[in-house]
Amino acid sequence: MYLYTPGEIDRERAHHQAVIQGADDINVKRIGNLGELAFEQFCREYLPVEMWTWKNEKAIRRCNSESFSSYDFEVFDYTVDVKTSRDVSAFQPEKLLDNDPDDDILVMVWHRDNEDALILLGWERTETLKSKVHTQEAYSGEEPEKLAHLATRPMNELHDLGPNTAHLNQKPENPFQPGDRVIKATDEDSSVGVVVEVLPPEENATLYGQELEGEAVRVAFPSTLDEGPGDWRTIHPAKLASYCVDQEIHLYDYKHTNLEYADQPFTVGDYVIKPDYDNPDLAIITAVDSGEISVVFEHLLNKDYIQPQRLEDICENNNLSQYSFPAEDMAFEPQY
C-alpha cells in the first residue's frame, strides 16, 4: 500500500475542477480527482512514463472540464479506472463490478474523512473480479457476518503487467509550483515573473518553433496580468493557468533550470503586511525601488480594485499617505 498526501495546489485543483465540471456531487468528484492524483504519483514513481497515460491530467492542471472518457488511465494498453471511497465496503468484488464492469483494471484508493491523506490499497483485473463473484455465488454461500472479502492485489505488482524494465523514478525535478515568484537565472536585470503552470516532464513545450528539452515552466509577468479584467492576486495560484487561458493572457515558457527564485519578489499591486506588528494592517505596494517598497494601507482606498499602475497617482491626487519600508521587513498577505 502507498500513502499519498495531497498538497494545497492539488486539493484546490481537484475541488475547482469538480466545480467547473458541474458535478452533481462536488464532494464525490473532488475525492475522485484526488484518487486520480494519487495513482498518477504512483505511476510516475514505478512505471515507465511512455507506457501510461492519464486522461484527466490537462483538465485538472488547468481546472477545466474533463473530456468524456469511460476510464481514467491507460497503463500498458490496459484501461484503468480509479475507485476512491471512504467506505472500504465499496471495494467488495460485487460492488466494484456493479459500478464498473467494463474496464480492464480497477485501482482502489481509500481516503480519510478530511481528505488530508489517501491510501492506494491495491488493484484487480475486472475478469478476476467476475470470477470471484461467480465463485462466491456458486460455492461459498453467504460470507461471514463480520468478515467481508475485499479484492486487491499489491500495488507494486502492477508493473509485472508490462515489459521487464528497470525501475525509473520519473518524478519532476522542477522545484517550482504555481504562485512562485521567479526571475531568469542568467539575466542580471530580469523582471519578476509569476509561475502559472508547471508541465509534467514528459510533455515537451515548444519555444520559437523548436521543442524545449527539459521540464517546462510557464510564467506570466505581473504587468501583463494587471491588464486583465480583475485582480489576479485574489485568485488561488492553482487556478492561475485556467484564468490566463480564459483571458488569453500571454504565457512564456522556460526550462526550469533557467529560472531561480526571486530575491526581491514584490511588485506593484501586491498585498503585504509588516509581520512584526501585533495587528498589522493590510497594505498594497505602490512602488518598488532598490530594496525599498512604498505602500498605501488598503482601508484608505475607496474602490474595490484599482489597477496597480494607477495606485501611486491616486494616492498623490487624493493626499493618501504612503509609507516606505525595507522589502525584507514585509511579507505577502494572500487575498485568495
Side-chain angles (χ1 to χ4, degrees), residues 283-303:
I284 303 176
I285 295 176
T286 59
V288 178
D289 184 23
S290 301
E292 292 278 327
I293 63 173
S294 298
V295 304
V296 60
F297 289 110
E298 190 264 351
H299 66 266
L300 298 176
L301 300 171
N302 294 323
K303 301 185 70 172

Side-chain angles (χ1 to χ4, degrees), residues 13 16-18 20-21 29 33 56 58-67 241-243 245-246:
R13 282 177 169 169
H16 193 63
Q17 200 262 3
I20 294 296
Q21 186 80 21
K29 178 60 178 171
N33 285 342
N56 199 18
K58 190 172 182 178
I60 285 187
R61 175 158 49 87
R62 293 194 169 180
C63 298
N64 293 330
S65 299
E66 62 178 310
S67 57
S242 178
Y243 172 77
V245 171
D246 290 344

